[in-house]
């Protein structure tokens, strides 16, 4: 990201900027197959749902068949293994792992107070950030090929977070300094 800071007084600084962050998880034990389109007769917008800690994934790609032998309750569908066999239907196996990715654009407002103003300074840091959801994708990988599955439903599009930290600042010159600022962040509203 890019951050800008404005010194209000000798000890107070206000900082803002734009930051991009990404997080995700791998869902092991979820088998994905391609070639399901001829068998898909659903009138809804999806045939499969994957239950995850971040929310429910709606598989909107009608060409992808999903199942799980290790955790069958994770996949919600009417095409269960006792009704449909992907091997007998000659579907192409894609992967046993599904990837769930989410990306955010963060706009923080941070206030910094300089407790110690020497060659090595100490700062207290606190502020709030708006985080906007800019990417929500679920996919399976087969070598270098990416098969889009769908999106995670129920995610908030805007998250509000607070941050609190303490930093050390080493002044290299009058205009440049090196900062180390471990920060604790707390999200005020849940992901889903």
């Amino acid at each position: 990201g890019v951050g800008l800071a404005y010194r209000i007084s000798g000890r107070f600084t206000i900082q803002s900027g734009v930051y991009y962050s990404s997080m995700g998880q791998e869902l092991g034990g979820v088998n994905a197959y391609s070639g399901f389109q001829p068998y898909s007769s659903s009138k809804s917008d999806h045939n499969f749902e994957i239950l995850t800690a971040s929310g429910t994934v709606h598989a909107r790609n009608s060409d992808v068949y999903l199942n799980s032998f290790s955790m069958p309750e994770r996949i919600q569908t009417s095409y269960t293994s006792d009704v449909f066999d992907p091997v007998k239907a000659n579907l192409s196996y894609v992967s046993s792992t599904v990837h769930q990715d989410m990306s955010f654009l963060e706009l923080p407002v941070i206030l910094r107070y300089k407790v110690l103003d020497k060659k090595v300074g100490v700062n207290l840091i606190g502020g709030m950030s708006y985080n906007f959801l800019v990417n929500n994708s679920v996919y399976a990988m087969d070598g270098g090929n990416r098969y889009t599955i769908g999106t995670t439903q129920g995610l908030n599009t805007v998250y509000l977070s607070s941050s609190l930290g303490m930093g050390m600042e080493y002044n290299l010159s009058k205009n440049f300094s090196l900062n180390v600022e471990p920060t604790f962040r707390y999200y005020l509203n849940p992901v889903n």
Side-chain angles (χ1 to χ4, degrees):
V2 176
L4 299 170
Y6 177 74
R7 188 177 303 255
I8 299 171
S9 69
R11 294 196 180 266
F12 282 102
T13 304
I14 190 165
Q15 178 181 334
S16 188
V18 177
Y19 300 94
Y20 177 81
S21 62
S22 181
M23 71 176 187
Q25 64 180 346
E26 286 187 6
L27 305 171
V30 177
N31 301 309
Y33 300 85
S34 68
F36 186 64
Q37 179 75 38
Y39 305 99
S40 175
S41 62
S42 176
K43 293 182 181 176
S44 69
D45 63 345
H46 63 281
N47 290 314
F48 301 92
E49 293 181 359
I50 307 171
L51 305 178
T52 72
S54 301
T56 302
V57 173
H58 285 194
R60 301 201 189 286
N61 186 344
S62 61
D63 194 49
V64 175
Y65 174 84
L66 300 171
N67 70 11
S68 177
F69 297 114
S70 60
M71 295 175 58
E73 67 280 355
R74 174 178 260 181
I75 307 293
Q76 302 294 306
T77 183
S78 57
Y79 296 98
T80 58
S81 59
D82 57 339
V83 173
F84 186 83
D85 186 354
V87 176
K88 287 182 182 176
N90 205 22
L91 299 186
S92 299
Y93 177 78
V94 175
S95 176
S96 66
T97 304
V98 171
H99 301 269
Q100 187 178 23
D101 285 343
M102 294 162 270
S103 300
F104 304 93
L105 198 59
E106 177 185 359
L107 302 171
V109 176
I110 298 170
L111 189 63
R112 181 176 284 116
Y113 176 73
K114 190 173 282 202
V115 177
L116 186 61
D117 192 10
K118 304 270 184 189
K119 180 81 171 170
V120 176
V122 175
N123 297 314
L124 292 177
I125 305 148
M128 302 291 283
S129 295
Y130 281 100
N131 302 277
F132 299 95
L133 181 67
V134 293
N135 176 40
N136 174 7
S137 62
V138 179
Y139 59 92
M141 294 292 293
D142 179 23
N145 298 325
R146 181 176 172 157
Y147 292 91
T148 301
I149 292 175
T151 58
T152 305
Q153 300 302 300
L155 294 179
N156 289 325
T157 56
V158 179
Y159 305 91
L160 185 62
S161 66
S162 63
S163 59
L164 184 63
M166 187 169 156
M168 293 187 67
E169 178 179 285
Y170 179 73
N171 295 314
L172 300 171
S173 70
K174 183 179 177 183
N175 296 324
F176 292 100
S177 63
L178 178 65
N179 295 332
V180 176
E181 299 175 345
T183 304
F184 172 76
R185 299 188 65 180
Y186 182 77
Y187 286 86
L188 301 174
N189 58 333
V191 172
N192 55 11

